[in-house]
Amino acid sequence: ITDLREQYSSSAAFLSKKRRAASKRLESAVERELKSLAMPQARFSIEWTDVTPGRSSGIDRPELLISPNPGEELRPLEKIASGGELSRVMLALRTVLAVDRSHKTLVFDEVDAGIGGKAAETVGQKLKELSTKYQILCVTHLAQIAAFAGHQYRIEKLVLDGRSVTRVDHLAGDARVEELARMMSGSRVTEAARQHVKELLKASRS
């Protein structure tokens, strides 16, 4: 028992040292990703807590901390991040750590909250890159993001025979162009909007 305890302590100390060194690199990499995802002032940190006695998973436990805005102290991610911020942190983490090819499905909801323009386009590009390693499901209201999807669906709520029902339509060809143009322009779709959407779709495939 004494010999095994010594072996465990040595292995756990080695693992802890490697973990803490790797977490510093991860912090820097995630902060770089967040800057491109319209969170330029965000700070991301990993705090380690010693666990006594040690467990099968080691002698320390990590907690993810974030400060989304200047002047705010670092706090636990799970407690303070909004839905959109959480989605973007997850996107940043998955972009940095995209080595898992286990056919997982990642769901991003509100990843477009509070962004637009170039930032939205960057989010769309990163989601497309991730889709080479994971199946991605993304709920979005921005055409700049939806244009990067391999498949686009429109979800709408209707009242039929006095009951609310949800309808899902797969969009392709002209129907997709019309929907993307509506997402950009609202109820009044112009020919200029359609042309812009076609350019957007062409760029997303390159």
Side-chain angles (χ1 to χ4, degrees):
I1 292 173
T2 300
D3 288 345
L4 290 173
R5 184 180 290 117
E6 288 177 356
Q7 290 176 35
Y8 170 83
S9 296
S10 176
S11 297
F14 177 76
L15 175 61
S16 178
K17 183 179 178 180
K18 299 286 278 187
R19 278 174 168 168
R20 294 177 191 234
S23 71
K24 292 300 178 185
R25 297 193 297 271
L26 181 61
E27 288 171 356
S28 299
V30 169
E31 285 187 355
R32 283 196 302 272
E33 289 295 326
L34 290 175
K35 282 181 172 60
S36 69
L37 298 173
M39 295 179 69
Q41 304 297 323
R43 289 185 297 138
F44 176 80
S45 179
I46 301 172
E47 184 178 86
W48 292 91
T49 303
D50 293 333
V51 177
T52 306
R55 303 168 301 162
S56 60
S57 56
I59 55 174
D60 45 22
R61 179 189 293 116
E63 183 171 35
L64 305 184
L65 307 177
I66 191 169
S67 168
N69 304 301
E72 296 180 3
E73 63 182 62
L74 289 162
R75 294 184 180 177
L77 176 65
E78 62 183 12
K79 293 181 180 177
I80 70 161
S82 67
E85 290 167 348
L86 204 56
S87 282
R88 273 177 273 171
V89 171
M90 181 182 173
L91 178 54
L93 281 167
R94 285 298 183 182
T95 300
V96 172
L97 303 173
V99 294
D100 186 353
R101 293 185 177 274
S102 58
H103 307 293
K104 290 180 179 176
T105 297
L106 304 182
V107 180
F108 292 92
D109 190 12
E110 295 186 23
V111 71
D112 54 11
I115 63 172
K118 182 62 179 175
E121 189 175 333
T122 301
V123 169
Q125 289 171 336
K126 290 186 182 298
L127 288 169
K128 182 179 179 181
E129 290 168 14
L130 274 187
S131 71
T132 63
K133 298 178 174 66
Y134 308 99
Q135 180 185 46
I136 303 293
L137 297 179
C138 178
V139 180
T140 182
H141 299 282
L142 294 182
Q144 294 98 317
I145 294 177
F148 284 91
H151 299 275
Q152 183 176 345
Y153 297 85
R154 179 179 58 224
I155 303 173
E156 57 184 343
K157 190 173 288 186
L158 305 169
V159 177
L160 295 177
D161 299 326
R163 290 190 60 190
S164 295
V165 296
T166 300
R167 187 172 72 188
V168 180
D169 294 316
H170 180 255
L171 303 174
D174 291 342
R176 187 177 187 190
V177 171
E178 284 297 309
E179 178 62 13
L180 287 170
R182 185 198 63 76
M183 291 170 71
M184 295 184 71
S185 306
S187 57
R188 187 170 177 271
V189 177
T190 64
E191 193 55 41
R194 292 187 184 96
Q195 193 57 41
H196 182 58
V197 163
K198 290 175 183 177
E199 301 260 342
L200 199 60
L201 287 169
K202 184 178 179 181
S204 71
R205 298 187 189 105
S206 60

